[in-house]
Structures are given as C-alpha cells and as structure tokens.
Amino acid sequence: MKDILDVHTHTTASGHAYSTFKEVITAAKSKGLELIGIADHAPQMPGTASDFYFLNFRAIPRDAYGIDLVMGAELNIIDYSGSTDLPAQILKRIDYAVASLHNPCIDPGSVEENTQAIIGAMRNPHIVIIGHPDNPKYPVDFEKIAQAAAENKVLLEVNNSSYKNIGYRAGSRDNAKLMLAACKKFSTSVIMGSDAHIDLDVGNHSLSQEVIAENDFPEELVVNTDKQKFFNFVKYRKSLAPK
C-alpha cells in the first residue's frame, strides 16, 4: 500500500517526546513522506506546552525543510460529553486536531461513557482524527463509533504505537479487528499514525499496515495513500465551524 503521510507525531514540546521540530520534519523527508503533521499534546497532558504554543503556528512555514507540513494538536478528551482542552479560538487557527482519551486526563469509564466521549468529540468541527480508539483501557462500542465517524466524516486512527509489544496499550491489536470490521460495515475511513515520540519512529506504520492487511481492510478507505484525501477531510470538518 502506498503510504506517504504521517500526521500524528510529537516533538519535545509535548514534554515526554525526544526529538525537535526540525528532527521530526527532516526524518519525514528522508523517509520519502510527502506530508508530515506535528500534533503535540494539548495543555491538560502533564508537562506539555501551554495554549500560547498553539497560537503561534503562523510563524512556521508550511513547507519547512522542503516537505509539506501541517501543524495541529492532540487534544485530550476531558469528560464523557466529549469536551477537549483547547478553546475554539485557538483550534480555528491550527491546521487540524486529533482527539484522544488519555489516562492522565480522564479516568476510563463504562463502554457507554467512553463511547459517548468519543462521539461527543466528533461534534467539534476542528477535530479530524480520533486517536487510538481501539485502546482497551477505554472500552467502546465500535459499531456506534464507526457509524458516527462515517456520518461526521471523521477519521479513526490505526495507531502503530499501540501495536508494539512494548507499548502501554496492550490488547489494541485484538480490538483493531473489531474496529476495522465496524469501519468496513459503515465505509468509515481510517488513517495510520505513527504516534512517534522520537524521530526514528516518524512514518513507521509497519504494524498498522500488518493490521490492515490481516483484516482485509479496503485500501480506498485508508487516507495515507493520497495527501489530498487527508486535506479533503480537513476542509470538510473546518467548513462546519462557525465563521
């Protein structure tokens, strides 16, 4: 499968990642990617950047170091209604947002609570991707999430980091089978993300590719094959935001 973009990466600004902005971007270029996205953790994550970090993205050329670049944020879902931790006036100034459930920011709830948290986040027009929705620590109803993602034109992530043997989301690979089956049923598009916290992992979707192949998931529903597919989702989601 053609794989030319990675929009879930982190820099030292996230507080627990280990490569600089330049190192992440130049790694993407050296690996032949056509689009790289940096989505550092939003402020509720311990040790990460403040609101002001996300306000100043206009200072960054979107062709920095000779590769197409998008600057986003990985938002933390902070309650079961789907609220997140950056205000709309900041979100409208960044290129895109990932929204995820993270242990330091919200306690795992019931299947119903976790499902409603994710579906609630999809109502935020700046959110383009739901990060690692197959995390077993936050059990969900995959059919409801896949259907809502298809209806709202939100991407569900196939997160490479989740499937590592040394990862902290053990069991995600089994859950991915359920998620991808639901996505096939509702023709829900997905995106592979490295969730890189060091430049060595940028563009690494090897395990995500295995999961997609094992589950005979349709290539046409994977947006990593064409950067315009990703931009089409961004454009649609942003068009829903109040002017």
Side-chain angles (χ1 to χ4, degrees):
M1 183 193 309
K2 185 180 180 183
D3 181 9
I4 51 85
L5 64 88
D6 185 8
V7 298
H8 190 168
T9 68
H10 298 277
T11 73
T12 51
S14 284
H16 60 275
Y18 302 98
S19 297
T20 65
F21 175 85
K22 184 176 182 179
E23 288 168 340
V24 167
I25 297 172
T26 54
K29 185 178 180 182
S30 72
K31 295 177 182 184
L33 297 185
E34 296 179 16
L35 176 68
I36 183 67
I38 292 175
D40 281 311
H41 287 283
Q44 285 291 320
M45 180 65 70
T48 194
S50 71
D51 288 10
F52 291 102
Y53 170 79
F54 301 96
L55 275 172
N56 199 39
F57 286 170
R58 62 184 179 275
I60 301 170
R62 295 308 195 266
D63 58 354
Y65 308 109
I67 183 173
D68 286 346
L69 167 69
V70 284
M71 293 298 301
E74 185 175 12
L75 306 178
N76 299 291
I77 300 172
I78 56 176
D79 60 36
Y80 300 123
S81 64
S83 303
T84 55
D85 54 340
L86 280 177
Q89 60 264 35
I90 293 179
L91 291 175
K92 69 182 181 183
R93 295 171 64 172
I94 69 176
D95 297 330
Y96 69 106
V98 182
S100 306
L101 293 164
H102 289 120
N103 296 69
C105 304
I106 184 172
D107 291 330
S110 65
V111 170
E112 182 178 359
E113 287 172 329
N114 299 331
T115 300
Q116 286 307 309
I118 289 176
I119 292 174
M122 292 181 191
R123 300 189 184 104
N124 184 326
H126 302 287
I127 292 171
V128 180
I129 301 166
I130 298 298
H132 41 77
D134 50 9
N135 182 359
K137 294 178 181 178
Y138 294 91
V140 296
D141 185 321
F142 287 113
E143 291 221 347
K144 287 182 179 179
I145 285 175
Q147 183 175 13
E151 291 172 352
N152 289 282
K153 295 186 180 179
V154 173
L155 299 166
L156 298 183
E157 185 186 40
V158 183
N159 184 292
N160 197 80
S161 181
S162 295
Y163 311 134
K164 293 180 179 179
N165 290 333
I166 60 170
Y168 51 89
R169 292 190 284 267
S172 293
R173 192 158 182 157
D174 291 335
N175 271 357
K177 297 177 184 179
L178 302 174
M179 181 178 78
L180 292 176
C183 288
K184 279 197 280 190
K185 178 177 179 178
F186 294 103
S187 296
T188 306
S189 291
V190 304
I191 186 167
M192 295 184 292
S194 69
D195 202 356
H197 284 65
I198 190 170
D199 58 351
L200 298 171
D201 259 347
V202 171
N204 180 9
H205 299 146
S206 58
L207 298 176
S208 296
Q209 293 245 23
E210 287 179 9
V211 168
I212 284 171
E214 288 169 0
N215 290 280
D216 195 27
F217 192 75
E219 184 174 320
E220 61 268 21
L221 293 178
V222 183
V223 305
N224 300 73
T225 59
D226 182 349
K227 61 185 178 182
Q228 191 56 50
K229 287 183 179 180
F230 172 71
F231 285 125
N232 288 343
F233 276 87
V234 173
K235 182 178 180 181
Y236 174 78
R237 294 293 297 163
K238 288 284 191 179
S239 74
L240 302 177
K243 302 304 180 185

